[in-house]
């Protein structure tokens, strides 16, 4: 069965710092990749997704993620975080109608 | 509706009692998913419904867990004889259809506490 690993459980940054959250998956076939975000008190919502084409995907609020097939990775990045980016971030991998989520990374941005 | 809704938002129950959790998906969404999120852990897939097809129950952790869906509308997740390890947030999501390309829209969740 496929699995998704997010190695950072809690990341604390100051505003304007750069962000990179790791996501690795274990599955050898064709996959579709997602990052979801859950802001405090809000629902999980889609941040960005990759299905095919350019492996560098841009999402909302200045986030981007790069699919590196050889490393089975789909890391999330943002060049300069804001206090409003404080949230929990979940990586997800879907293949053959089987979607698996990572454990999530809690991001705290200090003003 | 405007989004996925779930009720109740919070449920506190005693060990051994049965509970029912409700999910109203977005109108027109044929696929519906249930997940469980224990404290500090990721989303654990429980079950998914696609239209009138037989549901995929492969994620249900035990026979105490069951779910039903009426057509392409409301779904109910039932946990019988609750145990303390059932304490978690139960999330429901819906999507236009099933399949790898479809974004799932999540509800606010039901926080279940089993005393």
């Amino acid at each position: 069965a496929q699995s998704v690993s997010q190695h950072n459980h809690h990341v604390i940054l100051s505003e304007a710092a750069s962000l990179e959250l790791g996501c690795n998956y274990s599955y050898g076939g064709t996959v579709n990749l997602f990052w979801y975000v859950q802001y405090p008190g809000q629902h999980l919502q889609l941040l960005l997704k990759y299905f095919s084409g350019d492996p560098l995907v841009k999402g909302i609020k200045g986030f981007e993620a790069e699919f590196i097939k050889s490393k089975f990775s789909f890391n999330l990045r943002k060049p300069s975080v804001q206090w409003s980016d404080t949230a929990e971030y979940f990586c997800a991998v879907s293949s053959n109608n089987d979607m698996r989520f990572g454990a999530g990374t809690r991001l705290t941005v200090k003003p | 509706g405007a989004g996925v809704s779930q009720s109740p938002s919070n449920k506190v129950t005693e060990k051994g009692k049965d509970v029912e959790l409700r999910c109203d998906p977005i109108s027109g969404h044929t696929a519906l998913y249930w997940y469980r999120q224990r404290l500090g852990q990721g989303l654990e897939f429980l079950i998914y419904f696609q239209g009138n097809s037989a549901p995929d129950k492969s994620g249900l952790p035990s026979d105490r867990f069951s779910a039903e869906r009426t057509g392409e509308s409301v779904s109910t997740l039932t946990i019988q004889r609750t145990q303390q390890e059932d304490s978690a947030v139960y999330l429901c999501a819906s999507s236009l259809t099933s399949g790898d390309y479809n974004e799932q829209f999540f509800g606010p969740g039901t926080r279940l506490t089993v005393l």
Side-chain angles (χ1 to χ4, degrees), chain B residues 65-105:
Chain B
F65 287 72
S66 62
E68 293 184 348
R69 187 181 186 194
T70 308
E72 294 183 353
S73 60
V74 171
S75 176
T76 303
L77 176 70
T78 302
I79 309 173
Q80 295 178 309
R81 305 182 303 281
T82 52
Q83 304 294 312
Q84 288 182 331
E85 62 263 27
D86 299 333
S87 295
V89 175
Y90 289 82
L91 290 166
C92 176
S94 71
S95 63
L96 272 173
T97 66
S98 64
D100 300 336
Y101 300 99
N102 290 288
E103 176 185 354
Q104 294 184 21
F105 292 83

mmCIF file of all heavy atoms in Angstrom, chain B residues 65-105:
data_model
loop_
_atom_site.group_PDB
_atom_site.id
_atom_site.type_symbol
_atom_site.label_atom_id
_atom_site.label_comp_id
_atom_site.label_asym_id
_atom_site.label_seq_id
_atom_site.Cartn_x
_atom_site.Cartn_y
_atom_site.Cartn_z
ATOM 1 N N PHE B 65 -17.650 -0.246 13.051
ATOM 2 C CA PHE B 65 -17.817 0.927 12.188
ATOM 3 C C PHE B 65 -18.633 0.543 10.964
ATOM 4 O O PHE B 65 -18.368 -0.481 10.321
ATOM 5 C CB PHE B 65 -16.460 1.461 11.717
ATOM 6 C CG PHE B 65 -15.663 2.155 12.772
ATOM 7 C CD1 PHE B 65 -15.062 1.440 13.796
ATOM 8 C CD2 PHE B 65 -15.484 3.533 12.743
ATOM 9 C CE1 PHE B 65 -14.318 2.086 14.780
ATOM 10 C CE2 PHE B 65 -14.738 4.182 13.708
ATOM 11 C CZ PHE B 65 -14.159 3.458 14.736
ATOM 12 N N SER B 66 -19.596 1.370 10.623
ATOM 13 C CA SER B 66 -20.364 1.167 9.402
ATOM 14 C C SER B 66 -20.810 2.521 8.880
ATOM 15 O O SER B 66 -20.814 3.514 9.613
ATOM 16 C CB SER B 66 -21.581 0.269 9.652
ATOM 17 O OG SER B 66 -22.459 0.892 10.582
ATOM 18 N N ALA B 67 -21.156 2.571 7.622
ATOM 19 C CA ALA B 67 -21.619 3.821 7.037
ATOM 20 C C ALA B 67 -22.650 3.523 5.974
ATOM 21 O O ALA B 67 -22.608 2.476 5.328
ATOM 22 C CB ALA B 67 -20.468 4.628 6.449
ATOM 23 N N GLU B 68 -23.546 4.461 5.835
ATOM 24 C CA GLU B 68 -24.574 4.358 4.804
ATOM 25 C C GLU B 68 -24.649 5.677 4.064
ATOM 26 O O GLU B 68 -24.304 6.724 4.595
ATOM 27 C CB GLU B 68 -25.937 4.045 5.435
ATOM 28 C CG GLU B 68 -26.041 2.687 6.059
ATOM 29 C CD GLU B 68 -27.439 2.412 6.583
ATOM 30 O OE1 GLU B 68 -28.246 3.360 6.667
ATOM 31 O OE2 GLU B 68 -27.722 1.247 6.923
ATOM 32 N N ARG B 69 -25.136 5.578 2.846
ATOM 33 C CA ARG B 69 -25.393 6.791 2.080
ATOM 34 C C ARG B 69 -26.675 6.601 1.311
ATOM 35 O O ARG B 69 -26.864 5.579 0.645
ATOM 36 C CB ARG B 69 -24.251 7.105 1.124
ATOM 37 C CG ARG B 69 -24.429 8.464 0.455
ATOM 38 C CD ARG B 69 -23.331 8.789 -0.501
ATOM 39 N NE ARG B 69 -23.494 10.153 -0.996
ATOM 40 C CZ ARG B 69 -22.839 10.635 -2.043
ATOM 41 N NH1 ARG B 69 -21.964 9.872 -2.693
ATOM 42 N NH2 ARG B 69 -23.036 11.875 -2.427
ATOM 43 N N THR B 70 -27.528 7.588 1.375
ATOM 44 C CA THR B 70 -28.799 7.557 0.663
ATOM 45 C C THR B 70 -28.622 8.190 -0.701
ATOM 46 O O THR B 70 -28.465 9.413 -0.793
ATOM 47 C CB THR B 70 -29.881 8.333 1.450
ATOM 48 O OG1 THR B 70 -29.911 7.848 2.791
ATOM 49 C CG2 THR B 70 -31.235 8.162 0.793
ATOM 50 N N GLY B 71 -28.605 7.383 -1.738
ATOM 51 C CA GLY B 71 -28.418 7.899 -3.089
ATOM 52 C C GLY B 71 -27.131 8.675 -3.191
ATOM 53 O O GLY B 71 -26.065 8.173 -2.856
ATOM 54 N N GLU B 72 -27.209 9.886 -3.657
ATOM 55 C CA GLU B 72 -26.027 10.737 -3.746
ATOM 56 C C GLU B 72 -26.159 11.904 -2.786
ATOM 57 O O GLU B 72 -25.724 13.020 -3.069
ATOM 58 C CB GLU B 72 -25.843 11.226 -5.181
ATOM 59 C CG GLU B 72 -25.519 10.108 -6.148
ATOM 60 C CD GLU B 72 -25.256 10.578 -7.558
ATOM 61 O OE1 GLU B 72 -25.450 11.787 -7.832
ATOM 62 O OE2 GLU B 72 -24.856 9.750 -8.384
ATOM 63 N N SER B 73 -26.747 11.623 -1.617
ATOM 64 C CA SER B 73 -26.914 12.713 -0.659
ATOM 65 C C SER B 73 -26.270 12.349 0.669
ATOM 66 O O SER B 73 -25.129 11.917 0.719
ATOM 67 C CB SER B 73 -28.393 13.053 -0.517
ATOM 68 O OG SER B 73 -29.106 11.927 -0.054
ATOM 69 N N VAL B 74 -27.044 12.489 1.701
ATOM 70 C CA VAL B 74 -26.544 12.385 3.074
ATOM 71 C C VAL B 74 -25.895 11.040 3.350
ATOM 72 O O VAL B 74 -26.342 9.999 2.855
ATOM 73 C CB VAL B 74 -27.712 12.610 4.052
ATOM 74 C CG1 VAL B 74 -27.300 12.309 5.481
ATOM 75 C CG2 VAL B 74 -28.235 14.027 3.919
ATOM 76 N N SER B 75 -24.846 11.079 4.178
ATOM 77 C CA SER B 75 -24.220 9.855 4.648
ATOM 78 C C SER B 75 -24.165 9.867 6.170
ATOM 79 O O SER B 75 -24.032 10.933 6.790
ATOM 80 C CB SER B 75 -22.808 9.719 4.081
ATOM 81 O OG SER B 75 -22.162 8.574 4.616
ATOM 82 N N THR B 76 -24.278 8.690 6.745
ATOM 83 C CA THR B 76 -24.186 8.534 8.190
ATOM 84 C C THR B 76 -23.106 7.515 8.516
ATOM 85 O O THR B 76 -23.112 6.410 7.969
ATOM 86 C CB THR B 76 -25.523 8.046 8.779
ATOM 87 O OG1 THR B 76 -26.553 8.962 8.430
ATOM 88 C CG2 THR B 76 -25.443 7.935 10.290
ATOM 89 N N LEU B 77 -22.202 7.911 9.389
ATOM 90 C CA LEU B 77 -21.170 6.997 9.895
ATOM 91 C C LEU B 77 -21.605 6.583 11.298
ATOM 92 O O LEU B 77 -21.857 7.441 12.144
ATOM 93 C CB LEU B 77 -19.804 7.685 9.933
ATOM 94 C CG LEU B 77 -18.642 6.876 10.529
ATOM 95 C CD1 LEU B 77 -18.261 5.722 9.595
ATOM 96 C CD2 LEU B 77 -17.427 7.767 10.757
ATOM 97 N N THR B 78 -21.704 5.296 11.529
ATOM 98 C CA THR B 78 -22.130 4.771 12.826
ATOM 99 C C THR B 78 -20.985 4.017 13.476
ATOM 100 O O THR B 78 -20.326 3.196 12.825
ATOM 101 C CB THR B 78 -23.344 3.839 12.663
ATOM 102 O OG1 THR B 78 -24.416 4.559 12.047
ATOM 103 C CG2 THR B 78 -23.805 3.314 14.016
ATOM 104 N N ILE B 79 -20.765 4.332 14.728
ATOM 105 C CA ILE B 79 -19.775 3.592 15.517
ATOM 106 C C ILE B 79 -20.521 2.949 16.672
ATOM 107 O O ILE B 79 -21.137 3.637 17.495
ATOM 108 C CB ILE B 79 -18.656 4.506 16.061
ATOM 109 C CG1 ILE B 79 -18.050 5.349 14.933
ATOM 110 C CG2 ILE B 79 -17.569 3.670 16.719
ATOM 111 C CD1 ILE B 79 -17.049 6.400 15.419
ATOM 112 N N GLN B 80 -20.489 1.639 16.715
ATOM 113 C CA GLN B 80 -21.182 0.903 17.777
ATOM 114 C C GLN B 80 -20.214 0.606 18.926
ATOM 115 O O GLN B 80 -19.006 0.430 18.712
ATOM 116 C CB GLN B 80 -21.734 -0.410 17.227
ATOM 117 C CG GLN B 80 -22.813 -0.206 16.165
ATOM 118 C CD GLN B 80 -23.306 -1.529 15.600
ATOM 119 O OE1 GLN B 80 -22.512 -2.373 15.182
ATOM 120 N NE2 GLN B 80 -24.614 -1.718 15.608
ATOM 121 N N ARG B 81 -20.763 0.567 20.111
ATOM 122 C CA ARG B 81 -19.973 0.171 21.305
ATOM 123 C C ARG B 81 -18.636 0.931 21.320
ATOM 124 O O ARG B 81 -17.555 0.342 21.329
ATOM 125 C CB ARG B 81 -19.736 -1.330 21.297
ATOM 126 C CG ARG B 81 -21.025 -2.138 21.201
ATOM 127 C CD ARG B 81 -20.751 -3.646 21.234
ATOM 128 N NE ARG B 81 -19.846 -4.090 20.190
ATOM 129 C CZ ARG B 81 -20.190 -4.295 18.923
ATOM 130 N NH1 ARG B 81 -21.435 -4.058 18.522
ATOM 131 N NH2 ARG B 81 -19.304 -4.729 18.059
ATOM 132 N N THR B 82 -18.747 2.246 21.358
ATOM 133 C CA THR B 82 -17.545 3.084 21.228
ATOM 134 C C THR B 82 -16.493 2.749 22.277
ATOM 135 O O THR B 82 -16.806 2.377 23.419
ATOM 136 C CB THR B 82 -17.905 4.574 21.344
ATOM 137 O OG1 THR B 82 -18.671 4.787 22.534
ATOM 138 C CG2 THR B 82 -18.676 5.051 20.134
ATOM 139 N N GLN B 83 -15.248 2.903 21.874
ATOM 140 C CA GLN B 83 -14.096 2.703 22.736
ATOM 141 C C GLN B 83 -13.318 4.011 22.818
ATOM 142 O O GLN B 83 -13.463 4.877 21.949
ATOM 143 C CB GLN B 83 -13.183 1.609 22.153
ATOM 144 C CG GLN B 83 -13.881 0.281 21.915
ATOM 145 C CD GLN B 83 -14.315 -0.365 23.220
ATOM 146 O OE1 GLN B 83 -13.529 -0.453 24.154
ATOM 147 N NE2 GLN B 83 -15.564 -0.802 23.278
ATOM 148 N N GLN B 84 -12.473 4.130 23.811
ATOM 149 C CA GLN B 84 -11.724 5.374 23.976
ATOM 150 C C GLN B 84 -10.818 5.650 22.785
ATOM 151 O O GLN B 84 -10.610 6.813 22.420
ATOM 152 C CB GLN B 84 -10.927 5.339 25.279
ATOM 153 C CG GLN B 84 -11.811 5.473 26.513
ATOM 154 C CD GLN B 84 -11.021 5.486 27.797
ATOM 155 O OE1 GLN B 84 -9.947 4.901 27.895
ATOM 156 N NE2 GLN B 84 -11.566 6.156 28.804
ATOM 157 N N GLU B 85 -10.319 4.605 22.145
ATOM 158 C CA GLU B 85 -9.440 4.822 20.990
ATOM 159 C C GLU B 85 -10.191 5.336 19.769
ATOM 160 O O GLU B 85 -9.570 5.694 18.760
ATOM 161 C CB GLU B 85 -8.681 3.534 20.623
ATOM 162 C CG GLU B 85 -9.557 2.381 20.210
ATOM 163 C CD GLU B 85 -9.815 1.415 21.356
ATOM 164 O OE1 GLU B 85 -9.781 1.844 22.525
ATOM 165 O OE2 GLU B 85 -10.042 0.224 21.059
ATOM 166 N N ASP B 86 -11.527 5.373 19.851
ATOM 167 C CA ASP B 86 -12.305 5.945 18.749
ATOM 168 C C ASP B 86 -12.310 7.475 18.808
ATOM 169 O O ASP B 86 -12.767 8.124 17.865
ATOM 170 C CB ASP B 86 -13.758 5.452 18.791
ATOM 171 C CG ASP B 86 -13.865 3.944 18.645
ATOM 172 O OD1 ASP B 86 -12.970 3.331 18.030
ATOM 173 O OD2 ASP B 86 -14.865 3.379 19.151
ATOM 174 N N SER B 87 -11.830 8.031 19.900
ATOM 175 C CA SER B 87 -11.788 9.490 20.026
ATOM 176 C C SER B 87 -10.913 10.071 18.921
ATOM 177 O O SER B 87 -9.756 9.680 18.761
ATOM 178 C CB SER B 87 -11.229 9.892 21.390
ATOM 179 O OG SER B 87 -12.084 9.469 22.438
ATOM 180 N N ALA B 88 -11.492 10.987 18.165
ATOM 181 C CA ALA B 88 -10.801 11.551 17.002
ATOM 182 C C ALA B 88 -11.711 12.597 16.373
ATOM 183 O O ALA B 88 -12.862 12.763 16.788
ATOM 184 C CB ALA B 88 -10.482 10.466 15.974
ATOM 185 N N VAL B 89 -11.178 13.267 15.366
ATOM 186 C CA VAL B 89 -12.025 14.106 14.514
ATOM 187 C C VAL B 89 -12.378 13.280 13.277
ATOM 188 O O VAL B 89 -11.496 12.719 12.629
ATOM 189 C CB VAL B 89 -11.315 15.402 14.099
ATOM 190 C CG1 VAL B 89 -12.177 16.194 13.115
ATOM 191 C CG2 VAL B 89 -10.990 16.250 15.321
ATOM 192 N N TYR B 90 -13.655 13.207 12.976
ATOM 193 C CA TYR B 90 -14.122 12.455 11.817
ATOM 194 C C TYR B 90 -14.481 13.459 10.726
ATOM 195 O O TYR B 90 -15.344 14.313 10.901
ATOM 196 C CB TYR B 90 -15.312 11.572 12.193
ATOM 197 C CG TYR B 90 -14.865 10.418 13.061
ATOM 198 C CD1 TYR B 90 -14.692 10.600 14.435
ATOM 199 C CD2 TYR B 90 -14.554 9.181 12.507
ATOM 200 C CE1 TYR B 90 -14.234 9.564 15.239
ATOM 201 C CE2 TYR B 90 -14.092 8.139 13.303
ATOM 202 C CZ TYR B 90 -13.927 8.339 14.662
ATOM 203 O OH TYR B 90 -13.458 7.306 15.450
ATOM 204 N N LEU B 91 -13.782 13.335 9.607
ATOM 205 C CA LEU B 91 -13.948 14.278 8.509
ATOM 206 C C LEU B 91 -14.669 13.619 7.346
ATOM 207 O O LEU B 91 -14.419 12.455 7.031
ATOM 208 C CB LEU B 91 -12.587 14.782 8.024
ATOM 209 C CG LEU B 91 -11.831 15.709 8.977
ATOM 210 C CD1 LEU B 91 -10.391 15.858 8.532
ATOM 211 C CD2 LEU B 91 -12.492 17.057 9.040
ATOM 212 N N CYS B 92 -15.516 14.372 6.733
ATOM 213 C CA CYS B 92 -16.212 13.940 5.532
ATOM 214 C C CYS B 92 -15.771 14.823 4.381
ATOM 215 O O CYS B 92 -15.528 16.027 4.567
ATOM 216 C CB CYS B 92 -17.719 14.056 5.751
ATOM 217 S SG CYS B 92 -18.729 13.678 4.320
ATOM 218 N N ALA B 93 -15.651 14.255 3.206
ATOM 219 C CA ALA B 93 -15.295 15.030 2.016
ATOM 220 C C ALA B 93 -16.144 14.545 0.850
ATOM 221 O O ALA B 93 -16.577 13.392 0.829
ATOM 222 C CB ALA B 93 -13.813 14.883 1.694
ATOM 223 N N SER B 94 -16.367 15.431 -0.089
ATOM 224 C CA SER B 94 -17.072 15.015 -1.306
ATOM 225 C C SER B 94 -16.334 15.550 -2.525
ATOM 226 O O SER B 94 -15.567 16.517 -2.428
ATOM 227 C CB SER B 94 -18.527 15.485 -1.302
ATOM 228 O OG SER B 94 -18.630 16.888 -1.473
ATOM 229 N N SER B 95 -16.552 14.899 -3.651
ATOM 230 C CA SER B 95 -15.978 15.371 -4.904
ATOM 231 C C SER B 95 -16.961 15.070 -6.024
ATOM 232 O O SER B 95 -17.852 14.222 -5.877
ATOM 233 C CB SER B 95 -14.615 14.732 -5.179
ATOM 234 O OG SER B 95 -14.723 13.343 -5.340
ATOM 235 N N LEU B 96 -16.756 15.755 -7.147
ATOM 236 C CA LEU B 96 -17.695 15.616 -8.260
ATOM 237 C C LEU B 96 -17.873 14.161 -8.654
ATOM 238 O O LEU B 96 -18.974 13.680 -8.836
ATOM 239 C CB LEU B 96 -17.202 16.428 -9.459
ATOM 240 C CG LEU B 96 -17.644 17.891 -9.494
ATOM 241 C CD1 LEU B 96 -16.958 18.620 -10.627
ATOM 242 C CD2 LEU B 96 -19.162 17.983 -9.645
ATOM 243 N N THR B 97 -16.747 13.484 -8.832
ATOM 244 C CA THR B 97 -16.767 12.046 -9.049
ATOM 245 C C THR B 97 -15.592 11.484 -8.284
ATOM 246 O O THR B 97 -14.800 12.233 -7.703
ATOM 247 C CB THR B 97 -16.612 11.677 -10.539
ATOM 248 O OG1 THR B 97 -15.303 12.077 -10.961
ATOM 249 C CG2 THR B 97 -17.655 12.358 -11.386
ATOM 250 N N SER B 98 -15.471 10.189 -8.275
ATOM 251 C CA SER B 98 -14.269 9.614 -7.687
ATOM 252 C C SER B 98 -13.175 9.681 -8.738
ATOM 253 O O SER B 98 -13.404 10.130 -9.853
ATOM 254 C CB SER B 98 -14.511 8.167 -7.271
ATOM 255 O OG SER B 98 -14.775 7.374 -8.411
ATOM 256 N N GLY B 99 -12.018 9.276 -8.399
ATOM 257 C CA GLY B 99 -10.925 9.336 -9.369
ATOM 258 C C GLY B 99 -9.830 10.239 -8.880
ATOM 259 O O GLY B 99 -10.038 11.155 -8.091
ATOM 260 N N ASP B 100 -8.672 9.969 -9.402
ATOM 261 C CA ASP B 100 -7.481 10.625 -8.889
ATOM 262 C C ASP B 100 -7.426 12.118 -9.166
ATOM 263 O O ASP B 100 -6.675 12.840 -8.530
ATOM 264 C CB ASP B 100 -6.243 9.958 -9.492
ATOM 265 C CG ASP B 100 -6.170 8.489 -9.134
ATOM 266 O OD1 ASP B 100 -6.766 8.109 -8.119
ATOM 267 O OD2 ASP B 100 -5.532 7.732 -9.875
ATOM 268 N N TYR B 101 -8.212 12.594 -10.138
ATOM 269 C CA TYR B 101 -8.058 13.983 -10.548
ATOM 270 C C TYR B 101 -8.972 14.935 -9.800
ATOM 271 O O TYR B 101 -8.923 16.130 -10.002
ATOM 272 C CB TYR B 101 -8.335 14.110 -12.052
ATOM 273 C CG TYR B 101 -7.397 13.282 -12.886
ATOM 274 C CD1 TYR B 101 -7.795 12.056 -13.365
ATOM 275 C CD2 TYR B 101 -6.118 13.731 -13.172
ATOM 276 C CE1 TYR B 101 -6.930 11.282 -14.125
ATOM 277 C CE2 TYR B 101 -5.255 12.964 -13.932
ATOM 278 C CZ TYR B 101 -5.671 11.738 -14.398
ATOM 279 O OH TYR B 101 -4.824 10.973 -15.148
ATOM 280 N N ASN B 102 -9.810 14.369 -8.973
ATOM 281 C CA ASN B 102 -10.850 15.216 -8.407
ATOM 282 C C ASN B 102 -10.517 15.741 -7.032
ATOM 283 O O ASN B 102 -10.238 14.984 -6.110
ATOM 284 C CB ASN B 102 -12.165 14.441 -8.356
ATOM 285 C CG ASN B 102 -12.712 14.209 -9.737
ATOM 286 O OD1 ASN B 102 -13.185 15.127 -10.388
ATOM 287 N ND2 ASN B 102 -12.620 12.975 -10.198
ATOM 288 N N GLU B 103 -10.586 17.057 -6.915
ATOM 289 C CA GLU B 103 -10.380 17.692 -5.631
ATOM 290 C C GLU B 103 -11.461 17.277 -4.662
ATOM 291 O O GLU B 103 -12.643 17.250 -4.996
ATOM 292 C CB GLU B 103 -10.395 19.206 -5.801
ATOM 293 C CG GLU B 103 -10.285 19.985 -4.493
ATOM 294 C CD GLU B 103 -10.429 21.472 -4.701
ATOM 295 O OE1 GLU B 103 -10.500 21.903 -5.876
ATOM 296 O OE2 GLU B 103 -10.488 22.209 -3.707
ATOM 297 N N GLN B 104 -11.064 16.967 -3.459
ATOM 298 C CA GLN B 104 -12.024 16.655 -2.411
ATOM 299 C C GLN B 104 -12.290 17.916 -1.598
ATOM 300 O O GLN B 104 -11.366 18.631 -1.233
ATOM 301 C CB GLN B 104 -11.482 15.542 -1.514
ATOM 302 C CG GLN B 104 -11.337 14.218 -2.243
ATOM 303 C CD GLN B 104 -10.890 13.098 -1.338
ATOM 304 O OE1 GLN B 104 -11.034 13.149 -0.120
ATOM 305 N NE2 GLN B 104 -10.335 12.047 -1.915
ATOM 306 N N PHE B 105 -13.548 18.150 -1.324
ATOM 307 C CA PHE B 105 -13.954 19.294 -0.516
ATOM 308 C C PHE B 105 -14.347 18.757 0.862
ATOM 309 O O PHE B 105 -15.201 17.880 0.969
ATOM 310 C CB PHE B 105 -15.130 20.022 -1.174
ATOM 311 C CG PHE B 105 -14.753 20.696 -2.460
ATOM 312 C CD1 PHE B 105 -14.708 19.967 -3.647
ATOM 313 C CD2 PHE B 105 -14.446 22.041 -2.499
ATOM 314 C CE1 PHE B 105 -14.356 20.580 -4.850
ATOM 315 C CE2 PHE B 105 -14.106 22.660 -3.689
ATOM 316 C CZ PHE B 105 -14.050 21.927 -4.858
#
